[in-house]
Amino acid sequence: MANQFKRGEAVRFKTTGAGVTTARRGTVVRTVPTVRGVRVEVKDKDGYVYRPHLSMVKLSA
């Protein structure tokens, strides 16, 4: 899956923790190449940085 997100773009993404999925918004910080493909670092309005899977990230309208 190719990385279609550029730095500074506003995105919506989902995080999963303890069996609960939460929808969040943030901006793309950088692209991170990992062993299992590419992930995107996203910073939300509170300043927390997440690395969701690309399938969980979508551009904000």
Side-chain angles (χ1 to χ4, degrees):
M1 187 181 268
N3 179 24
Q4 66 269 37
F5 304 105
K6 304 285 183 250
R7 192 164 63 159
E9 286 184 329
V11 293
R12 290 178 295 134
F13 63 101
K14 293 181 182 175
T15 59
T16 306
V20 179
T21 302
T22 308
R24 297 178 177 272
R25 291 172 181 244
T27 55
V28 176
V29 178
R30 69 183 182 132
T31 300
V32 184
T34 61
V35 176
R36 293 180 295 173
V38 179
R39 288 188 175 235
V40 199
E41 275 193 359
V42 182
K43 184 182 280 190
D44 71 356
K45 65 180 182 201
D46 298 324
Y48 295 107
V49 176
Y50 299 89
R51 274 190 193 174
H53 190 268
L54 279 183
S55 64
M56 303 294 265
V57 181
K58 303 209 175 3
L59 283 174
S60 291

